[in-house]
Amino acid sequence: MDSGIDWHWARAALDWQLELGADEAIGEAPVDRFAVEAEAQAARAAPAAMPARRTMAPPPPVDSGPDPVAIARKAAAGAATLDELRAAMAAYDHCELKRGARQLVFSDGTPRARVMIVGEAPGRDEDLQGKPFVGRAGQLLDRMLGAVGLSRQETVYITNVLPWRPPQNRDPKPDEIAMMKPFLARHIALVDPDLLVIMGNISCDALLGRRGITRLRGKWAEAEGRPALPMFHPAYLLRQPQMKREAWADMLELAAKLKVLG
Ligand code: URA
């Protein structure tokens, strides 16, 4: 029997009650004990009912302090000259990278440049000297520029997305890029070059909102309201010299565009 109660079990139970002194049925109506037990078994087998869902009160708002991007925007907007922008960046205390760097690396080249190059972040040599692109990658960059008649002295201005060296040259974090972006945008507006050259993935991320330099390189895009040419980063070219062919094509493209613009 499914319930586990059979005639012998019921008889034994009745005998036991008689032994205890029970000599008559107490209820008026007969009780089907098999049905009662079957119901109890079904109830035991059924999954436990889900506890009623408690409605959670929304967590109290976390006060994360002032918004570093809004502060950067305000500071950058208040800079009317490159010197003021440099001072505003030096005074900006919300980027962790500042604490690990030796100094602010602001820019190099001529502020009357037609071409503004935007790199990623200072490395060791730049952190030591306080100028962008002065290490091996920078020397390669100067040779590439020279090959198409450009130079820091006369036609090119150089800066980075981040003015402080990241520890162990790690990639900058998205929030670090976001908080320094208003300064970069103001930097570009103050120099007002004809063209931007965007070197490497971090710079593409900051100025175009996209990564994937292999696909982006060599194709004109628009950033901060002017033509922008993504290119392989010279540090990448030092590691992958076979890619210099593409970089050379991009330099020729840059020179051609300058000619067209006059
Ligand atoms: N790499 C960069 O992106 N910028 C520098 O200034 C140096 C190396």
Side-chain angles (χ1 to χ4, degrees):
M1 222 182 232
D2 277 349
S3 65
I5 301 174
D6 60 13
W7 185 89
H8 300 284
W9 184 95
R11 179 61 200 261
L14 191 56
D15 287 344
W16 181 66
Q17 288 181 56
L18 289 173
E19 271 178 40
L20 290 177
D23 55 4
E24 62 176 356
I26 295 172
E28 296 283 333
V31 176
D32 182 352
R33 300 284 169 198
F34 289 105
V36 170
E37 176 58 21
E39 257 181 48
Q41 279 202 355
R44 283 197 293 275
M50 293 282 284
R53 187 183 284 243
R54 276 203 277 153
T55 47
M56 303 274 283
V62 178
D63 181 9
S64 51
D67 173 9
V69 178
I71 294 170
R73 262 193 221 117
K74 195 161 172 231
T81 64
L82 288 172
D83 282 344
E84 284 180 20
L85 183 66
R86 182 201 289 261
M89 288 169 73
Y92 183 74
D93 273 333
H94 300 270
C95 184
E96 274 299 307
L97 297 177
K98 182 178 182 181
R99 280 174 256 298
R102 275 194 175 78
Q103 56 184 318
L104 178 96
V105 176
F106 185 67
S107 71
D108 195 22
T110 170
R112 292 173 306 284
R114 296 190 65 197
V115 177
M116 180 164 177
I117 295 177
V118 180
E120 298 184 341
R124 183 177 165 276
D125 296 314
E126 292 76 19
D127 185 47
L128 282 167
Q129 295 187 40
K131 275 187 187 177
F133 283 103
V134 290
R136 280 184 66 223
Q139 288 155 21
L140 173 59
L141 176 61
D142 285 340
R143 290 199 295 279
M144 289 161 60
L145 293 170
V148 290
L150 299 172
S151 70
R152 302 187 197 218
Q153 290 73 35
E154 291 180 2
T155 36
V156 174
Y157 185 89
I158 306 180
T159 191
N160 284 311
V161 174
L162 291 142
W164 295 291
R165 181 193 183 192
Q168 278 87 46
N169 297 339
R170 68 152 168 80
D171 275 357
K173 297 177 191 164
D175 66 316
E176 292 163 348
I177 296 175
M179 67 179 79
M180 298 317 292
K181 171 78 194 287
F183 292 112
L184 176 61
R186 186 76 188 128
H187 208 154
I188 293 169
L190 288 171
V191 175
D192 195 19
D194 293 342
L195 304 173
L196 291 171
V197 173
I198 309 178
M199 297 233 144
N201 261 325
I202 304 289
S203 316
C204 286
D205 192 348
L207 285 171
L208 303 177
R210 279 176 289 162
R211 295 198 184 204
I213 190 67
T214 307
R215 269 177 293 112
L216 294 171
R217 63 141 281 275
K219 299 187 192 93
W220 286 99
E222 195 186 290
E224 299 301 315
R226 61 201 82 220
L229 186 64
M231 283 187 61
F232 284 135
H233 194 286
Y236 173 74
L237 296 174
L238 288 173
R239 294 193 302 274
Q240 305 286 338
Q242 74 279 13
M243 295 301 188
K244 284 182 184 166
R245 247 163 67 108
E246 277 82 355
W248 175 236
D250 296 347
M251 292 311 294
L252 292 177
E253 177 61 39
L254 174 65
K257 186 83 162 183
L258 282 170
K259 222 178 220 162
V260 169
L261 293 177

